[in-house]
Amino acid sequence: MSGRVYTAILSMSLWALTGACKKDFIEINTDPGVITGEQINYNYLFTSAQLLTSGNTDGYGYEDWRNNLIYSGCMIQHLSSTISYWVGDKYLYDAGYNSAYWDKNYPNSIADIVEVLHDVKTDTTQYNFYQICRIFKAFMFQRMTDMYGDCPYSQAGLGYIAGTILPQYDLQKDIYADLLNELRDAAEKLDLSKANTVGPADLLYKGDPLAWKKFAYSEMVRVAMHLSKVSPDTAQKWVQIAVKGGVMGSNTDNAILHHENITGTPDVNGSGLVLLGNDPGAYRLSNTFVSFLRNNNDPRLPFLATVCADPMQPADKGDTSSARQLGMPNGYDPPNSGGAHDLANASNWTGSQNNYSVVNRYTFSRLDAPTFFLTKGETELLLAEAAWRGWISGDPALHYQAGVKAAMQQLGSQAGAGPSDVQTDAWLASHPFDPAKALQQVNEQYWVAGFMDENECFANWRRSGYPLLTPVSYPGNVTGGTTPRRFTYPQSEASTNTTHYNSAVSRLTNGDRMTSRVWWDK
């Protein structure tokens, strides 16, 4: 058994669910040299897969820092930075930052879920647990393939199980087809009469098969809508299947991973740790984002932003009033550094970088902030687009209203603080659904609803074209001043998995570059 399993099981002790958990860990680790399959409680390995997927495999926010915030958060212009190593702000290239999510998740969370599936597949007592794992695996790979394109899928995680250490890269087209089939098959096979054998080890739904069924069909909507450009007929087919199967009906169905403030462990929210602890002074909210919220009188602004006298002080919660919020433009160097990109030359410069907003410290800039994997709000907004396209029956305006309302309400009920129902209803009344601007309107709201799930926002922007971003033209950028379209593969793959890497790269129009497009982004 690999050292990865030792790490996963030991880290799970921090979230021991009962006294028996601790007893199991002691028994498992009595022999420091060998752990057999019979000694492993695969429930805890599933816990590990869920937790590590949230973006903090090392306890210090490694991949959340690099992929979710520095790259996706800045590229999608939720965030901005004048710090040189926040390379996503200016479309600069950093190989290790590009590959961070791949580097951390293939040997950890993906290896975990593949091992769990391998070992519980034939265990009839774990029937629903097996289906749940299939559904979560589909979610995991949707994110991975959306970030990189073709990637190891059918042979991923089989190093220990089958000795496959140089996995082939499956075509994204094939991965997507299998994700949709897996979601449908697993959802249909979930049986409410079967025993719940995972319970609280499932950090999202405690093993509730009905909740997982709704998650599966809602995830199916997301996967299907990602195909809207490349295969609209396929997208329509699968959205219809999802709606018939039954998607999330309320915010209580949201897939939320709740974190605890246990520093130095994966239990801490990785993005929250970076924003509040590891790098609180390196970023600000983007002017694109803050201006959008302000110009639309969005009641979420004071719950997403704050202005701190000194962002370097975690105890400084700042001023959250809407009137104080100001976004920092992307593509600038530190103030008074000289040159054309000096922040002091920006049109909204007020004399101090601390006058720009940072992420609100009551909601998302917290070590124990929740991670939203998939929500009712996001699902309803995608259904609004599907209804507008004529792919499903129903009024797109009603789906739009339900999506915005759920997205606003989840802040107060699940993220710590948010608009009141009165404020939400008033905003919707003054900002009704406009069929003439449906695509823009729906996907701009998806951009707001997905705040802090930056990798997903990056994916949805690529397939929808909204929000309308202001590209950055900065010296040394690797995209010709256009917003990047994907993450690049780990450089180590070129030397260690050469044949499969070269084959995948040959299928990319411009090679392994940030300007190349994944299959569905054509």
Side-chain angles (χ1 to χ4, degrees):
M1 184 62 61
S2 67
R4 170 189 55 77
V5 175
Y6 285 107
T7 301
I9 294 175
L10 291 173
S11 67
M12 288 307 100
S13 66
L14 295 169
W15 311 280
L17 305 170
T18 65
C21 296
K22 296 177 182 178
K23 181 176 182 290
D24 288 342
F25 288 135
I26 292 171
E27 291 176 352
I28 287 171
N29 287 282
T30 52
D31 184 343
V34 177
I35 296 180
T36 65
E38 292 75 16
Q39 291 175 291
I40 295 176
N41 187 324
Y42 288 98
N43 287 9
Y44 302 149
L45 210 55
F46 179 61
T47 307
S48 173
Q50 289 184 322
L51 193 60
L52 300 184
T53 298
S54 72
N56 183 19
T57 55
D58 67 343
Y60 297 95
Y62 185 89
E63 62 270 41
D64 262 353
W65 200 342
R66 291 154 178 80
N67 290 118
N68 196 53
L69 300 177
I70 287 178
Y71 264 125
S72 289
C74 288
M75 294 187 302
I76 202 64
Q77 294 184 353
H78 278 151
L79 307 177
S80 65
S81 179
T82 60
I83 302 300
S84 60
Y85 59 85
W86 276 62
V87 288
D89 180 77
K90 302 170 183 66
Y91 317 151
L92 305 177
Y93 180 67
D94 185 290
Y97 287 14
N98 263 269
S99 65
Y101 193 82
W102 176 301
D103 291 338
K104 288 296 185 179
N105 281 274
Y106 268 114
N108 292 296
S109 62
I110 286 175
D112 286 345
I113 198 70
V114 170
E115 188 163 339
V116 174
L117 283 165
H118 175 264
D119 283 278
V120 304
K121 181 176 182 179
T122 58
D123 185 349
T124 57
T125 66
Q126 300 270 38
Y127 181 83
N128 275 346
F129 182 33
Y130 176 64
Q131 312 309 329
I132 289 169
C133 290
R134 294 172 70 193
I135 293 167
F136 191 68
K137 180 190 173 189
F139 168 82
M140 296 165 73
F141 273 99
Q142 172 249 310
R143 180 182 292 179
M144 183 68 75
T145 189
D146 285 347
M147 292 173 70
Y148 297 97
D150 296 356
C151 63
Y153 176 68
S154 60
Q155 295 181 352
L158 297 179
Y160 172 73
I161 295 169
T164 306
I165 60 174
L166 300 176
Q168 68 181 24
Y169 288 44
D170 294 83
L171 274 65
Q172 186 177 59
K173 180 179 181 180
D174 296 338
I175 295 172
Y176 255 68
D178 198 61
L179 296 182
L180 290 164
N181 285 321
E182 280 288 286
L183 288 168
R184 177 173 61 179
D185 190 62
E188 290 177 347
K189 288 180 177 176
L190 282 168
D191 188 342
L192 274 63
S193 69
K194 299 289 186 182
N196 181 348
T197 59
V198 60
D202 170 14
L203 300 179
L204 299 183
Y205 297 119
K206 296 180 171 56
D208 180 356
L210 180 58
W212 275 103
K213 188 181 290 284
K214 294 177 183 178
F215 175 92
Y217 287 119
S218 299
E219 171 67 5
M220 187 182 293
V221 171
R222 176 185 282 182
V223 173
M225 292 303 292
H226 283 182
L227 303 179
S228 61
K229 284 198 300 186
V230 70
S231 185
D233 290 344
T234 303
Q236 178 180 4
K237 167 191 168 182
W238 285 99
V239 172
Q240 290 176 352
I241 291 172
V243 171
K244 183 177 180 180
V247 299
M248 294 175 175
S250 71
N251 277 341
T252 60
D253 297 324
N254 287 349
I256 307 173
L257 198 152
H258 294 281
H259 294 273
E260 295 182 29
N261 187 355
I262 306 176
T263 56
T265 74
D267 198 43
V268 172
N269 182 297
S271 292
L273 175 63
V274 173
L275 298 173
L276 188 66
N278 288 354
D279 218 4
Y283 82 99
R284 298 295 187 274
L285 286 179
S286 171
N287 187 51
T288 304
F289 187 52
V290 174
S291 294
F292 176 84
L293 296 173
R294 180 187 295 282
N295 293 341
N296 286 281
N297 297 311
D298 196 305
R300 286 170 286 192
L301 178 57
F303 303 103
L304 300 179
T306 187
V307 176
C308 299
D310 182 4
M312 293 297 293
Q313 302 300 319
D316 182 357
K317 302 296 184 182
D319 184 343
T320 63
S321 60
S322 292
R324 280 294 311 277
Q325 305 315 313
L326 181 68
M328 188 171 76
N330 296 82
Y332 281 89
D333 293 323
N336 304 314
S337 58
H341 298 274
D342 190 321
L343 183 61
N345 296 327
S347 60
N348 70 350
W349 174 247
T350 62
S352 172
Q353 204 163 356
N354 287 348
N355 289 331
Y356 293 118
S357 303
V358 296
V359 176
N360 188 291
R361 294 180 169 183
Y362 295 98
T363 53
F364 290 105
S365 184
R366 297 166 20 216
L367 275 63
D368 60 347
T371 294
F372 290 88
F373 282 145
L374 184 65
T375 67
K376 155 80 170 176
E378 293 169 318
T379 303
E380 286 289 351
L381 288 168
L382 293 177
L383 291 177
E385 180 181 331
W388 176 81
R389 290 177 179 272
W391 292 352
I392 58 173
S393 60
D395 186 349
L398 294 179
H399 284 295
Y400 173 78
Q401 292 165 9
V404 173
K405 192 165 189 174
M408 289 192 180
Q409 290 177 334
Q410 76 183 32
L411 290 176
S413 63
Q414 297 172 327
S420 67
D421 289 346
V422 172
Q423 289 175 304
T424 299
D425 291 339
W427 191 87
L428 280 168
S430 61
H431 296 78
F433 178 75
D434 182 355
K437 299 179 180 178
L439 282 179
Q440 180 171 357
Q441 192 177 33
V442 165
N443 288 289
E444 284 175 343
Q445 286 303 309
Y446 195 93
W447 176 58
V448 180
F451 182 64
M452 286 293 103
D453 188 359
E454 305 300 331
N455 294 321
E456 172 57 25
C457 287
F458 179 44
N460 194 65
W461 170 81
R462 286 179 284 157
R463 74 98 194 164
S464 72
Y466 295 105
L468 297 174
L469 303 176
T470 303
V472 170
S473 182
Y474 186 88
N477 79 82
V478 296
T479 66
T482 63
T483 307
R485 307 302 298 197
R486 65 180 283 273
F487 289 97
T488 59
Y489 297 129
Q491 290 186 332
S492 60
E493 284 288 289
S495 57
T496 60
N497 195 11
T498 308
T499 299
H500 296 312
Y501 167 81
N502 287 339
S503 178
V505 171
S506 71
R507 295 190 289 268
L508 292 166
T509 302
N510 298 311
D512 189 13
R513 301 177 184 274
M514 295 178 71
T515 51
S516 296
R517 297 184 179 223
V518 302
W519 164 73
W520 53 252
D521 183 26
K522 304 300 184 185

